[in-house]
Amino acid sequence: MLLEITSKIIDVTPSIREYVTSKFEKLERMQVPMISPHVYVGKEGERYVIEARIQIPFGKLFAEAEHEDLYAAINALEQKLERQIIRHIHRPDARRNRNAHRQNSMAAMF
């Protein structure tokens, strides 16, 4: 996976890059292919702002987290993306999807 990390205000050190990469490797183990993930690291006042945009099959994911500690902001971002991926994985099992599928199959019968 080629992870693009950009920042305008702070320097992205190798330790920051390694930490973000390790979090995205954890997300990659959920077996959802990530296409061109992009992470932006910034600072607004005393708070760090982390944004991630990920293209996945049949959708896009976006998450933003901010915290006074950079590593805590990265952890919060990873948790938000994990929840979105879990929701994306379980979307075909959702009750609303089963009802729509049933109605379409009933309409095809008549």
Side-chain angles (χ1 to χ4, degrees):
M1 170 181 63
L2 181 63
L3 179 64
E4 184 179 350
I5 302 173
T6 59
S7 177
K8 291 183 180 178
I9 297 174
I10 61 174
D11 293 330
V12 180
T13 63
S15 63
I16 293 172
R17 184 173 300 280
E18 181 180 324
Y19 194 72
V20 171
T21 304
S22 70
K23 294 298 180 180
F24 271 80
E25 286 173 357
K26 179 182 176 189
L27 293 174
E28 200 172 42
R29 282 187 243 140
M30 299 179 84
Q31 299 180 351
V32 173
M34 292 187 223
I35 306 164
S36 66
H38 181 250
V39 177
Y40 171 75
V41 181
K43 189 168 184 180
E44 294 179 2
E46 296 295 317
R47 301 180 69 83
Y48 290 96
V49 177
I50 312 291
E51 294 179 358
R53 295 178 193 272
I54 304 171
Q55 183 80 21
I56 59 174
F58 307 111
K60 295 179 184 178
L61 301 179
F62 175 79
E64 179 180 22
E66 68 178 70
H67 198 274
E68 294 171 352
D69 179 32
L70 176 63
Y71 293 98
I74 294 170
N75 287 338
L77 178 79
E78 185 256 335
Q79 290 172 355
K80 288 180 180 183
L81 287 171
E82 184 176 6
R83 284 192 297 265
Q84 289 182 21
I85 289 173
I86 289 171
R87 193 175 331 133
H88 179 76
I89 290 171
H90 295 293
R91 183 167 283 157
D93 302 333
R95 183 177 178 183
R96 63 185 177 275
N97 191 22
R98 285 192 307 241
N99 291 338
H101 181 65
R102 236 183 256 148
Q103 290 173 354
N104 290 338
S105 64
M106 294 289 277
M109 292 172 68
F110 295 109

